Amino acid sequence: MRHLLAGLALALAPLAPQAAELPIFDAHVHYSHDAWEFMPPKEAIAVLRKAGLKRAMMSSSNDEGQQRLYTEAPDLILPSLRPYRSRGDTGSWMRDASVIPYLEERLKKYKYVAIGEFHLYGADADLPVPRRMVQLAKQHKLFLHAHSDTDAIERLFKQDPGARILWAHSGFERPEKVVEALRRHKNLYCDLAFRSDQASGGKVSADWRAAFLEFPDRFMVGTDTYTPERWLYIVEHANWSRQWLSDLPPAVAERIAYRNGEAIFGSMLAR
Ligand SMILES: [Zn+2]
């Protein structure tokens, strides 16, 4: 993916001035323990500003990382609470009962816009720990940022029909499947993190274009810095996003670039 993105960026024509100025709401950034030394908070914030980000929806394993960033730049960081204390929790958290008191303790102490990003597939969504997490999100009026298949998304909505879900990577589903899910659930939103199939050479594919035009209010972009080195690609990702977004009608491009994220999450911390 690194090479793919780098290659794409090189192959693209220079940005039109208007597109170059498009602010970006990056809905999928992590600042986990191994990134803290690689890129200390002040440097990390400088990268986000250099990328022209209006906001970054941030989560970290453990939560301490993003709290440092939030202290550094409360205007820029929207914290989301992961159920992970270290990177290795990705595949085990849903059976680890100690996750719940951890979430409860953090929710008491800090403000968030979401719980996630978490990894959860199929019937695991109905295990007691995820069930309790869904209830906590409901109680605190938070989004769920779910890296999940369609089955798990359906189960989460069954548990709480009023849930609001940001579907990480749009589930890595085909655009037709994403559209079907968006039609079923009015509170489902999608990030496009770590995907590049929506556009090639700055041109948006026909099936994704149809999805964006039918649901211009439900998509946002994201880098997904799931390893520390990915922080080096935040600027490039923002520029690549501006490039392909400029192939859409300007009002739609602006929504996906930053207006959706801003409208949905922008004022949540002020409550
Ligand atoms: Zn992620």
Side-chain angles (χ1 to χ4, degrees):
M1 186 67 183
R2 271 168 73 163
H3 299 293
L4 184 63
L5 272 181
L8 280 171
L10 286 176
L12 296 172
L15 290 169
Q18 208 184 350
E21 287 157 18
L22 195 61
I24 296 288
F25 181 109
D26 193 320
H28 199 134
V29 191
H30 305 296
Y31 189 61
S32 293
H33 51 86
D34 43 7
W36 306 346
E37 276 192 24
F38 176 80
M39 193 166 281
K42 276 191 200 322
E43 267 179 59
I45 295 297
V47 167
L48 302 178
R49 298 222 190 268
K50 191 178 169 211
L53 299 193
K54 187 167 175 61
R55 304 257 202 180
M57 198 163 136
M58 190 71 59
S59 60
S60 61
S61 323
N62 61 58
D63 190 53
E64 203 47 46
Q66 63 166 341
Q67 295 301 340
R68 291 182 198 170
L69 295 186
Y70 181 68
T71 305
E72 201 67 45
D75 62 310
L76 191 60
I77 304 297
L78 291 171
S80 173
L81 176 59
R82 296 198 102 169
Y84 306 159
R85 282 150 292 185
S86 77
R87 181 181 295 294
D89 292 347
T90 313
S92 56
W93 72 275
M94 69 292 281
R95 290 184 174 80
D96 178 355
S98 73
V99 163
I100 295 303
Y102 170 73
L103 292 179
E104 288 171 336
E105 175 227 310
R106 302 305 289 192
L107 287 168
K108 253 182 227 151
K109 210 164 162 188
Y110 297 106
K111 282 189 165 187
Y112 300 95
V113 299
I115 295 180
E117 181 207 19
F118 52 82
H119 298 72
L120 190 62
Y121 305 96
D124 280 358
D126 288 329
L127 289 168
V129 171
R131 276 185 182 280
R132 177 69 185 131
M133 180 187 69
V134 171
Q135 289 309 309
L136 283 172
K138 182 178 181 177
Q139 187 186 327
H140 291 265
K141 299 188 172 63
L142 301 174
F143 264 72
L144 293 164
H145 192 187
H147 182 137
S148 293
D149 53 8
T150 310
D151 184 13
I153 295 292
E154 295 300 332
R155 288 168 190 265
L156 293 173
F157 275 124
K158 203 166 262 178
Q159 288 174 36
D160 177 13
R164 291 174 298 167
I165 299 179
L166 177 59
W167 199 8
H169 319 286
S170 305
F172 287 117
E173 275 289 5
R174 298 280 314 138
E176 308 82 61
K177 294 284 170 195
V178 175
V179 164
E180 284 171 18
L182 288 170
R183 285 179 188 151
R184 279 197 300 274
H185 302 289
K186 66 176 178 6
N187 289 334
L188 179 64
Y189 298 83
C190 293
D191 82 41
L192 296 162
F194 205 76
R195 321 189 48 136
S196 54
D197 58 315
Q198 65 271 38
S200 161
K203 293 286 165 206
V204 176
S205 72
D207 42 11
W208 274 113
R209 177 181 293 273
F212 297 147
L213 294 182
E214 183 173 347
F215 294 104
D217 300 339
R218 309 269 207 104
F219 288 97
M220 39 199 108
V221 298
T223 303
D224 194 3
T225 52
Y226 63 94
T227 61
E229 299 78 28
R230 293 273 303 170
W231 271 80
L232 302 174
Y233 288 85
I234 289 179
V235 175
E236 195 168 299
H237 175 269
N239 286 333
W240 180 70
S241 300
R242 290 181 180 105
Q243 185 79 58
W244 68 260
L245 285 167
S246 71
D247 189 41
L248 294 171
V252 177
E254 282 183 8
R255 283 179 178 181
I256 297 173
Y258 72 100
R259 287 195 194 279
N260 291 341
E262 204 51 33
I264 295 158
F265 300 108
S267 58
M268 280 181 78
L269 292 180
R271 286 174 318 186

